[in-house]
Amino acid sequence: MKKRQHVMLALTVAASITALTACGGGSGNNTAQNADFGSEPTGTLKIWGFNNADDVGTSRLDYAAEQLEGVDIEQDNGSFDAQKFTALAASNGLPDAVQMDRNFVGTYAAKGLLMSLDECYSENDVDPDEAYYPQVIDDVTYDGKVYAVPQFYQPPAIMLNMRVLNAAGVSPDAFDTSNREGLLAAIQTLYKESGGNPTTLGFDPRVPGQAGIWLLGNGGQIMDEDGKPTLDDPANIDAVEFMKQMMDAQGGYAKIKSFIDSFDMFGDNNQFVADQVAAELIEQWYVNVVATTAPNVEISAVPFRDKDGNPFTVASGTAFVIPKGAKNPAAACAWALNLTSTDGWMAAGEARAANIEKEEGRLNTGLFTGSPEADQMIREEFVGSTGIPGFDEAINTYYEVASEGKSFGISAAGQEIQTELQNAITAALLGEKSPEEAMADGQAAALRAWETTTGENSE
């Protein structure tokens, strides 16, 4: 079922790109842009995609609205949808600002459907290279121009279940991803099964979803500097071979996937409470989830390490774009920048801290914003010791690894490349194809999508 969903997503995105091209997109650099980003924001501002806002979201929405007095903000809270974006673009009905995954930014920028925001930043005295982590702004910089205002940065690291590790006599140092032999030995020691089915995973590497960090950490790349896919890079194939080794050491991918699907991931009996994992590669936001069950878990964390043994992580997240044809780009620019400003994030930090104080036993695990200044200020102002050493170690690990991140790259076929990567790795982990065959087939499919999107011939 998962493979079929991936294929359908690829077809949907490909169809969207074809439709967008037919709408008269063209190169982002060749399409005229008329926007006075320096004018006073007035009138009606229409935004789309800011869905499921919690205290962090609503506090920033309130802050941004206060800065745009006299602007009437109309919000479509529905999730971003590629087909809907295509339909609205064709009818010139896109709103003024849209939140989307950063994987989409290169695709739509290449088709001339997004405004370059270089003037948006400059007219508002914001230097994006200083305001955001380099890897975060790299996610939204296409052909030398910045096309989005990024928000959030959730670096992955390895969360440890110390109760399971201590019982087995395994040290946290065993989860050094640059030492494959040692890591596999730890996985085999910690793994438990019943009737041939997993009951405790020695390590959940979160693949294929987190495959990108394994590829980049091994010296590979998903795409080159021009956005052309590079899935068949030998370093990528080597990383996939190791992913399969980890899966095979724990009963095989099919059984692991079925076991993981049974986790109460967001509940009171999550995988760390139930001792269903000894370790898991997961983003920072999950520390906040596990913190709700703090009395029943014993966690810590260590960084993922690249092939040379250095702490390493990857960038991912959402961003705000301003479509070509936006009726109120000045207000959209000011709104997005205020929403992701240091003051906006500090308002979110204050709101989160206030809510935590109301709930006995709740821990403040910090916010990761995409802005190093905001991250540091929130940490200093609101994130003290939790009183639980393991949680403090986990929180510190995520803060320390944030600066070590790398962008996956940006491409005119970014989303399709990611989809084909997921499909290829799934086929390799299931043993349907060898890692080399799977990545070669994934590369061929991703390359076709890239050539269709860019109009370039790779030969």
Side-chain angles (χ1 to χ4, degrees), residues 107-335:
T107 298
Y108 297 133
K111 294 304 169 187
L113 294 168
L114 305 181
M115 290 188 181
S116 163
L117 300 191
D118 289 344
E119 291 183 19
C120 163
Y121 283 108
S122 62
E123 289 289 347
N124 288 273
D125 297 322
V126 176
D127 182 345
D129 291 328
E130 293 183 1
Y132 305 97
Y133 292 96
Q135 59 270 30
V136 171
I137 205 66
D138 284 349
D139 277 351
V140 296
T141 302
Y142 180 78
D143 201 17
K145 295 181 180 295
V146 181
Y147 280 91
V149 176
Q151 70 157 353
F152 294 116
Y153 168 32
Q154 292 293 330
I158 300 173
M159 189 180 295
L160 304 174
N161 185 338
M162 295 307 300
R163 184 165 54 219
V164 175
L165 266 67
N166 290 336
V170 175
S171 167
D173 293 339
F175 286 87
D176 178 350
T177 46
S178 68
N179 180 358
R180 292 182 178 181
E181 184 177 343
L183 179 57
L184 283 173
I187 289 172
Q188 291 168 334
T189 298
L190 294 162
Y191 173 70
K192 296 179 182 178
E193 57 90 23
S194 177
N197 295 311
T199 57
T200 299
L201 296 178
F203 182 33
D204 176 11
R206 300 282 305 290
V207 293
Q210 287 282 11
I213 191 172
W214 293 95
L215 305 187
L216 271 61
N218 196 45
Q221 58 179 357
I222 296 172
M223 61 193 77
D224 66 18
E225 61 183 11
D226 296 321
K228 182 179 176 181
T230 56
L231 302 189
D232 57 353
D233 184 312
N236 293 347
I237 296 169
D238 179 64
V240 177
E241 289 173 347
F242 182 63
M243 291 179 210
K244 191 169 190 308
Q245 283 183 281
M246 288 189 288
M247 297 292 99
D248 291 348
Q250 304 178 88
Y253 176 68
K255 290 182 179 180
I256 292 172
K257 177 66 167 59
S258 178
F259 182 50
I260 290 172
D261 286 346
S262 72
F263 289 176
D264 184 24
M265 189 168 183
F266 298 96
D268 293 338
N269 196 40
N270 63 63
Q271 61 270 29
F272 286 87
V273 172
D275 291 339
Q276 293 169 310
V277 295
E280 187 169 48
L281 177 64
I282 198 160
E283 299 92 333
Q284 182 275 338
W285 58 264
Y286 198 63
V287 182
N288 194 51
V289 174
V290 176
T292 63
T293 57
N296 300 315
V297 299
E298 295 178 24
I299 71 160
S300 185
V302 294
F304 182 96
R305 295 185 181 277
D306 67 16
K307 64 184 179 65
D308 297 319
N310 302 310
F312 183 82
T313 195
V314 290
S316 62
T318 58
F320 297 104
V321 300
I322 301 178
K324 285 284 177 65
K327 297 177 177 60
N328 200 346
C333 169
W335 177 82

Side-chain angles (χ1 to χ4, degrees), residues 21-106:
T21 305
C23 293
S27 168
N29 288 336
N30 295 332
T31 306
Q33 172 173 307
N34 295 312
D36 182 5
F37 286 118
S39 64
E40 184 72 20
T42 59
T44 298
L45 170 65
K46 295 183 178 181
I47 58 178
W48 168 36
F50 204 108
N51 60 314
N52 298 324
D54 57 6
D55 51 355
V56 172
T58 55
S59 57
R60 291 186 297 127
L61 286 169
D62 291 343
Y63 173 81
E66 289 171 3
Q67 311 312 305
L68 272 67
E69 289 185 9
V71 176
D72 181 21
I73 302 175
E74 297 180 1
Q75 189 167 326
D76 178 347
N77 292 324
S79 299
F80 175 79
D81 178 86
Q83 289 180 307
K84 179 178 177 181
F85 189 93
T86 300
L88 291 174
S91 62
N92 198 29
L94 283 167
D96 301 299
V98 180
Q99 180 180 236
M100 61 176 61
D101 190 280
R102 297 201 286 262
N103 283 331
F104 284 104
V105 173

